[in-house]
Amino acid sequence: AMSDTVAVMHDGLIAQSGPPREVYLSPCNEFVAAFLGAANIVKASITGRQGGAGRFEIEGGGASLLLPLPDGMAEAQTVNLVFRPEDTSIAMAAGDNALPCSIERLSFQGGLTECHVRVGGTVLRSMLHGAEHVERGSNAWLRIDLGRCLVFPAKG
């Protein structure tokens, strides 16, 4: 439970403030996203452009996603893709904008199962409905709700 307004502080400054739902769903940066709940952060490079979308190549993963290209971002730029575990799903068949993964760990939690998957060299979290069944060690596809995937310029 939270108040009507929250402020997230970072290095003694307010990084973002507003209604809890707004701050959670639209964090202004990676710090705020990670501070308010679990967030997957994946390094990627913009490798091409298709209209208003960009092709984002996942670092070390040999996989890519086609996402809306935020203003001010250009080809060859390194970025961080940020999305929450609840904004993902696991599929056993390939599909558009799905990342090949291997299932490393499962933690059944009643209504949900926390699933740790490896995409290239990165381990990501996915929250699956408790009725969905996947096997540890199997290969699958991680699907991300692209409307909920945020893109931030990578630092350093």
Side-chain angles (χ1 to χ4, degrees):
M2 294 190 203
S3 61
D4 325 5
T5 302
V6 296
V8 178
M9 301 206 50
H10 185 237
D11 291 333
L13 300 171
I14 295 175
Q16 185 173 356
S17 67
R21 183 179 201 64
E22 177 185 306
V23 175
Y24 182 82
L25 295 175
S26 300
C28 67
N29 59 36
E30 298 160 52
F31 176 81
V32 174
F35 186 82
L36 290 178
N40 290 305
I41 300 174
V42 180
K43 190 166 284 227
S45 297
I46 303 171
T47 59
R49 170 173 251 171
Q50 296 176 2
R55 176 68 58 189
F56 293 81
E57 186 77 26
I58 305 301
E59 184 177 271
S64 65
L65 295 171
L66 188 63
L67 295 166
L69 193 60
D71 291 338
M73 299 215 172
E75 203 166 323
Q77 184 173 355
T78 302
V79 298
N80 286 323
L81 306 177
V82 179
F83 53 93
R84 298 202 181 276
E86 63 266 24
D87 296 327
T88 65
S89 61
I90 302 291
M92 300 316 288
D96 290 339
N97 275 330
L99 302 174
C101 67
S102 60
I103 298 172
E104 292 203 342
R105 192 175 100 190
L106 298 167
S107 175
F108 180 71
Q109 298 173 1
L112 297 172
T113 298
E114 181 181 41
C115 186
H116 289 230
V117 301
R118 181 170 297 278
V119 174
T122 305
V123 175
L124 303 172
R125 291 178 53 204
S126 178
M127 295 303 284
L128 306 178
H129 186 277
E132 292 181 73
H133 182 72
V134 294
E135 295 285 330
R136 184 176 173 269
S138 63
N139 292 320
W141 296 87
L142 179 68
R143 292 196 176 139
I144 302 164
D145 179 346
L146 300 180
R148 305 274 304 122
C149 186
L150 303 170
V151 181
F152 297 108
K155 296 176 181 86

